[in-house]
Amino acid sequence: MANTTLTRSIPRSTAGQVIRQPRKKLTVGKAAAVVVAAVLAVLWLVPFAWATVTAFKSEADASASKVSWIPPSGFTFDAFANVFQAGNIPLWTWNSLYTSAAITLITLVISALIAYALSRIEFKGKKVLMTAIIASIIVPPPVLMIPLFYQMLAFKMIDTPWAIILPQVIHPAMVFVLKRFFDQIPRELEEAAVMDGASRLRIFMQIILPLSRPILAAVAIFVFIGAWNNFLWPFISTNDDSLLTLPVGLQTIKSAYGVQYAQNMASALLAALPLIVVFLFFQRQIIKGISTTGLAGT
């Protein structure tokens, strides 16, 4: 009754002022940031839109000297039909899917364990190991192609899926990112678990990993995209046509009539479509993972 009486005694204008929150003013800096972001978005979308339009053109319209967004003869699926007829798109997509998924899973396990050890466990050579991990980030991947090839050759893994998967599961940059995140998790949580008799592995599985879901999702997406787009290493390590990944397989589709612009754009869209879907579904996880690592401001 007291609360009802008090509510009734407040004038409507006063109550409205209490409930309403003042609108945030749009400053010049925020407006400039929005404009710059919009311009960058347009600059990125225009080439993508042009590639999409070209993929649905006939080869005659795509190679015409006059530039037009709407083809004179109309849109067609001929370029996509030619790509599917010339190559085994379902097999190449499956090869890319399971190799990229295996690379992502193994990378997460290895990187998370190494990062947790560097963040929480004191051992001899820890600083040296951390220095080596940071230094290896700046090593260009093509430098390691020849040693990795001879290593796979010695293990008799050439022309096997493991030749594609194993050399790509070591990501020093992801170890560094995960370590930065693990450093921000309060140690008091682990100390309380130790007092309850929890082992190091149980703490890692039941405390650290559940709290690290955003960064683990972001790392998984980045690794998956990198593995999916990788062309050079699958091209070097496999000669069997049944093991070709999608980027490598699409490069084998050549025409005897010169450059086929519509067919090339159709191939590019087929290769990029799964990544676009993944990004659209998990973009929040990517942004949240980057923001929680503390790397956004560095």
Side-chain angles (χ1 to χ4, degrees):
M1 293 294 294
N3 292 337
T4 305
T5 305
L6 180 60
T7 304
R8 291 177 179 176
S9 63
I10 299 177
R12 292 185 178 181
S13 59
T14 306
Q17 292 178 0
V18 173
I19 295 174
R20 291 197 193 99
Q21 295 181 354
R23 295 181 179 180
K24 295 183 179 179
K25 295 182 179 179
L26 183 63
T27 62
V28 177
K30 291 182 178 180
V34 171
V35 172
V36 171
V39 172
L40 292 177
V42 171
L43 291 177
W44 182 87
L45 286 174
V46 168
F48 180 76
W50 179 254
T52 304
V53 170
T54 304
F56 288 96
K57 290 181 179 180
S58 64
E59 290 296 343
D61 292 334
S63 58
S65 58
K66 184 179 180 181
V67 177
S68 62
W69 285 91
I70 300 177
S73 58
F75 294 102
T76 177
F77 289 90
D78 291 344
F80 292 93
N82 293 334
V83 171
F84 275 92
Q85 290 176 1
N88 196 342
I89 301 298
L91 177 62
W92 297 342
T93 304
W94 168 247
N95 291 340
S96 290
L97 182 61
Y98 82 79
T99 55
S100 300
I103 291 168
T104 302
L105 179 60
I106 299 174
T107 300
L108 280 178
V109 173
I110 294 176
S111 300
L113 290 173
I114 296 175
Y116 180 70
L118 292 172
S119 176
R120 290 294 195 266
I121 302 175
E122 296 296 332
F123 55 90
K124 292 183 179 180
K126 177 180 177 179
K127 293 183 179 180
V128 176
L129 179 59
M130 191 64 197
T131 303
I133 290 174
I134 296 175
S136 61
I137 296 176
I138 64 176
V139 177
V143 175
L144 305 175
M145 291 295 175
I146 296 177
L148 286 174
F149 179 82
Y150 280 108
Q151 186 178 11
M152 293 296 102
L153 191 63
F155 292 155
K156 298 181 180 180
M157 291 184 178
I158 296 297
D159 277 341
T160 65
W162 292 112
I164 301 175
I165 296 172
L166 291 181
Q168 299 188 68
V169 300
I170 304 300
H171 283 269
M174 299 306 161
V175 174
F176 178 74
V177 169
L178 288 173
K179 180 187 179 301
R180 286 284 300 269
F181 186 90
F182 292 161
D183 289 341
Q184 299 176 6
I185 298 177
R187 294 178 180 267
E188 289 77 8
L189 298 175
E190 299 177 62
E191 294 174 357
V194 170
M195 294 180 64
D196 291 337
S199 63
R200 179 72 70 179
L201 181 60
R202 184 177 179 183
I203 292 173
F204 176 73
M205 297 294 294
Q206 297 185 0
I207 297 179
I208 300 299
L209 292 184
L211 293 175
S212 306
R213 288 177 182 174
I215 187 60
L216 290 175
V219 168
I221 293 170
F222 284 127
V223 173
F224 183 86
I225 291 175
W228 182 279
N229 286 331
N230 195 346
F231 167 80
L232 186 57
W233 177 249
F235 176 75
I236 293 174
S237 60
T238 55
N239 294 316
D240 190 351
D241 293 340
S242 63
L243 296 175
L244 295 181
T245 58
L246 189 59
V248 179
L250 290 175
Q251 293 301 316
T252 64
I253 302 176
K254 302 294 181 181
S255 174
Y257 302 99
V259 179
Q260 302 291 306
Y261 296 103
Q263 184 172 308
N264 289 342
M265 291 300 101
S267 301
L269 286 180
L270 289 174
L273 184 60
L275 298 183
I276 295 174
V277 173
V278 169
F279 182 79
L280 290 177
F281 276 98
F282 299 101
Q283 58 178 327
R284 292 185 179 180
Q285 296 292 337
I286 296 176
I287 297 172
K288 187 176 181 180
I290 294 176
S291 61
T292 51
T293 59
L295 297 177
T298 58

